[in-house]
Structures are given as structure tokens and as C-alpha cells.
Amino acid sequence: LLLFIFHTAKVNAQSCCAKSKSEGADVNTSIAEMMSKDYALVDHNGAEKTLRGLIEDKVVIMNFIFTSCKTICPPMGANFAALKNELGDKADEQLIMLSVSIDPSTDTPERLKAWKANFQDEADDSWTLLTGKKSIVDQLLKDLSVFTPLIEEHAPIIIMGSANNEEWIRTNGLTSP
């Protein structure tokens, strides 16, 4: 199933969603930049986490949301929950699903937890929502080439890959799971 996800995502990324070299940094350069740093974040349960600690030795699927969004974020949350249900226990063992808030000033752990509860059992921690200090989150978003100064204009982006692999994929977050 994971191979199918990556094959499909790679096709989708090549055909519709990957940034061209002329549009900015390619996703693999961004991931290399991300892996060279460690970002102190807070999860939806209020626990301090480091991004490197979360993704080490895992396959990673990461999207970018904010809790007051009324347009693309709710469908992206529903897609993540549906994907988690399709993957079942594999999401706990081999894969981590992360949603990073692009509005860390507003999105407290409590708000993230309530937002997640709209889509999935809040006790299930295979899907982790992250926030943190605005400066740290903004730097992460910039390093991943997903930062936008106007959060309402953010794109429905998912990045997928492995911290142990140099090839990552960027795809559309509104496609079906």
C-alpha cells in the first residue's frame, strides 16, 4: 500500500504539483535543509517534540493547515483521517502523518486537538499535529518552501518521503487518499 501511495504521489507530483526549478527550491533541497536543523515544536497534546525525533526512521507524510481555515484545510484534514483509516496499524509502525500549523500564533495545542477531533479519534496519535514558536514554525515552512505571508493563500501541499532517503515528493493535498 505504501508503495502505491508513493508511486501515485510521484506521478501526481510530476504532472501537476511539483515546483519547477524556475519556481524555487526543489523539494529534495528543502528536505536536506530541514534535516540539517532540528525544530523544537509542540504537538496537539502539548508535548514538546523535535521534528527530527518524530520523523527519524519513518516514512513521512506531512501537510500544512490552520484551524480557522474554512476552505482547503478541512478537506485536507478529512483526507488525512481517511488515509490513516486505510493504512490502519501501518501508520503507527512504519509511517508518521504530520500536520504543521501555518498559523502558530493562533493554533495552540488545544485548538489543534479540537480540530483533529473533527476528523478522527483524538486518542489516536499516529497523526500528529504540530505548532510552536512562530519564528521556528516560519523557518520550517520557509525551509520546506511552503511558507506564505498570507495564510489564506496557502496551497494544499503534501510532502512525502523518508528522513533516510534523499528523494521526497510534493503533491496536491486535495487528491483522494
Side-chain angles (χ1 to χ4, degrees), residues 7 37 41 58 71 74 102 104 108 115 132 140 142 150 152:
H7 173 71
K37 301 177 183 177
L41 301 168
K58 297 271 188 175
T71 57
I102 62 169
T108 63
W115 189 84
L140 171 62
K142 288 173 184 175
L150 300 173
E152 298 81 11

Side-chain angles (χ1 to χ4, degrees), residues 6 23 42 50 52 73 85 89 101 106 128 136 149 166:
F6 286 114
E23 289 179 292
V42 179
T50 62
R52 190 178 302 146
C73 296
N85 288 338
D89 292 340
S101 170
T106 302
T128 302
I136 293 171
E166 293 181 15

Side-chain angles (χ1 to χ4, degrees), residues 148-170:
T148 181
L150 300 173
I151 60 172
E152 298 81 11
E153 295 181 6
H154 82 96
I157 295 171
I158 291 177
I159 59 172
M160 297 183 285
S162 167
N164 303 327
N165 188 341
E166 293 181 15
E167 188 168 333
W168 283 63
I169 316 164
R170 181 182 304 254

